[in-house]
Amino acid sequence: MLNTKKLQLSYKRYTKNFVEGIKFEDVEETYLESFNRITQIVNLNEIEKDHILLIDLDSIESYNISKWKRDVLVNHGENSVELNKIMMVIFHQCMVQNLYKSRYPKMFVEYTFEDVIKTLIHFTMFGWEKEEIILFNFIVDHFDSRWMKANNWNKHTWFLLELYLQFRNKTIFGTNQNLHKAVREQFKKMDLEYGLIPEELDVYTEVLKHWETPQLDEIKILTDKMSVYHSVLASELGESIEFGDFGYGFYPYEILFLLFVRKQRGLPVPEEFDDFLMNTPEAKMKMNDPEPYPEWDPLLKLIDGFYRKNYPDYIPNQYGELFQN
């Protein structure tokens, strides 16, 4: 049951974290330290040290997250540009990580399964088709490997991936129905870890059955249920596994993606919401259709250029320039 007072207190902590907790000035200082380190490696073309570039992508992501939070969460802006840049960094974490599979086979990946699926559905909402296809192919190629770590407990992530597959008429392991169950079974047969993959998706199961309903009232009921489910877990900020994180806990991107795919199918969607979650600044961000590519983060551009120069098998080399209007 949703406790509205508890939800609002959690939201205050969520916002306060990017004012008094993670201060922008501190994150910016770390970013500038990375700038000096990355610039030296790139200028001297120090290939033996280039794994540092992969590791430092994390500081670029943190910097852009802080800028996004400052602009939207704290100052109530509506521009999603910094969010776009975050997704660009996660994409490059995947592309660069792929180069180290042989060199450092036990290296920890610099992203999570949730991060990758989040990026995929945002590329879809942004209308960045070329990058969406590249990332989807990466997901499929690595799905049953430690480079994707799909043994993941987040129900909304499995919902998003299955909804994406149905929307794009694609499959993983030959299916786009009850994907979480199919993957559990497939991983079990392959003797891969599967215990964290949820057996049921709760409210998302109902949504997946009816997401194409032509009835506005029906989809409004479903989005309200999704909002309550998300809000209850976000109320446990810092404690719940799902929606309890300070980065995306109050950003209802799973609901926004559902609304997006319905619009793309010409189906009606609610235009206004009366709940707390769907009226937060992050929920109210403006996205164009398609979204223009933002100006590259200069450090990300340096890293991408380095890998393009030194590694012919770097995945973006197969596709020419990316993230270009």
Side-chain angles (χ1 to χ4, degrees):
M1 183 175 180
L2 179 60
N3 182 324
T4 303
K5 184 177 180 180
K6 186 177 181 180
L7 176 69
Q8 293 176 344
L9 287 173
S10 290
Y11 183 73
K12 287 182 180 178
R13 288 176 56 218
Y14 179 75
T15 304
K16 190 176 181 180
N17 181 59
F18 286 92
V19 177
E20 299 179 7
I22 303 175
K23 295 182 179 179
F24 178 76
E25 294 78 12
D26 294 338
V27 177
E28 186 176 40
E29 182 179 348
T30 301
Y31 174 86
L32 293 175
E33 290 172 358
S34 295
F35 189 95
N36 294 332
R37 191 163 48 244
I38 290 170
T39 301
Q40 178 176 333
I41 292 172
V42 170
N43 288 343
L44 298 177
N45 206 40
E46 296 179 301
I47 296 176
E48 70 281 1
K49 295 182 179 180
D50 62 19
H51 61 282
I52 295 173
L53 304 185
L54 169 57
I55 295 169
D56 278 355
L57 280 168
D58 187 61
S59 65
I60 302 173
E61 181 184 2
S62 297
Y63 178 60
N64 285 307
I65 287 175
S66 287
K67 289 172 70 177
W68 172 47
K69 295 298 183 178
R70 181 192 61 185
D71 294 349
V72 175
L73 180 64
V74 178
N75 294 331
H76 292 191
E78 296 183 336
N79 195 312
S80 65
V81 170
E82 301 304 333
L83 176 65
N84 301 0
K85 292 181 180 180
I86 296 168
M87 300 305 154
M88 289 175 64
V89 175
I90 296 172
F91 172 88
H92 282 88
Q93 285 178 324
C94 294
M95 299 300 105
V96 175
Q97 189 84 54
N98 189 64
L99 295 172
Y100 291 94
K101 290 188 294 185
S102 299
R103 186 166 152 193
Y104 298 114
K106 296 183 179 181
M107 188 179 192
F108 287 109
V109 297
E110 298 294 318
Y111 49 81
T112 66
F113 181 63
E114 181 183 2
D115 288 335
V116 180
I117 304 307
K118 183 191 304 163
T119 302
L120 178 70
I121 66 100
H122 276 88
F123 282 3
T124 308
M125 289 193 289
F126 297 160
W128 297 355
E129 294 182 8
K130 188 175 183 179
E131 294 79 12
E132 174 198 333
I133 292 169
I134 295 169
L135 186 58
F136 179 73
N137 290 338
F138 177 86
I139 292 168
V140 172
D141 290 344
H142 297 82
F143 202 82
D144 56 359
S145 76
R146 66 181 299 273
W147 305 103
M148 189 51 55
K149 298 180 73 173
N151 182 32
N152 186 279
W153 53 75
N154 282 298
K155 295 177 180 180
H156 77 279
T157 301
W158 289 101
F159 160 74
L160 285 168
L161 181 54
E162 183 165 328
L163 180 57
Y164 171 83
L165 293 175
Q166 292 181 17
F167 173 59
R168 289 299 196 208
N169 194 28
K170 296 177 182 289
T171 62
I172 290 177
F173 290 148
T175 188
N176 58 18
Q177 303 286 331
N178 294 311
L179 181 68
H180 60 295
K181 294 182 179 180
V183 173
R184 279 181 63 92
E185 288 303 311
Q186 187 65 28
F187 278 16
K188 187 175 182 180
K189 291 177 182 177
M190 299 171 70
D191 198 26
L192 298 173
E193 293 183 356
Y194 65 91
L196 297 178
I197 300 174
E199 296 186 31
E200 300 296 336
L201 298 185
D202 296 330
V203 63
Y204 302 125
T205 298
E206 183 180 3
V207 178
L208 286 167
K209 288 179 180 177
H210 301 288
W211 73 269
E212 292 183 283
T213 176
Q215 302 300 321
L216 178 59
D217 290 346
E218 186 175 4
I219 205 65
K220 180 65 168 65
I221 290 170
L222 291 174
T223 54
D224 286 347
K225 287 182 178 180
M226 290 173 70
S227 182
V228 170
Y229 179 82
H230 186 135
S231 297
V232 169
L233 293 171
S235 298
E236 303 291 341
L237 194 67
E239 298 178 18
S240 69
I241 294 175
E242 191 156 11
F243 301 127
D245 67 285
F246 284 87
Y248 299 92
F250 279 87
Y251 175 37
Y253 57 92
E254 79 285 9
I255 301 175
L256 298 177
F257 186 62
L258 171 64
L259 300 178
F260 168 83
V261 298
R262 283 184 58 84
K263 287 180 181 178
Q264 293 296 304
R265 290 288 175 86
L267 297 168
V269 298
E271 296 298 333
E272 294 183 359
F273 295 87
D274 55 10
D275 62 288
F276 182 84
L277 180 68
M278 292 300 291
N279 284 285
T280 60
E282 291 170 352
K284 292 289 191 177
M285 282 186 304
K286 302 297 184 185
M287 291 186 191
N288 296 301
D289 185 19
E291 184 76 4
Y293 294 110
E295 183 177 347
W296 279 66
D297 179 282
L299 279 190
L300 182 59
K301 191 68 174 176
L302 272 178
I303 291 173
D304 178 66
F306 177 94
Y307 284 106
R308 283 180 179 271
K309 172 185 173 183
N310 290 291
Y311 292 89
D313 54 343
Y314 177 53
I315 293 174
N317 275 335
Q318 303 171 25
Y319 299 94
E321 293 295 322
L322 299 175
F323 302 102
Q324 296 291 327
N325 291 306

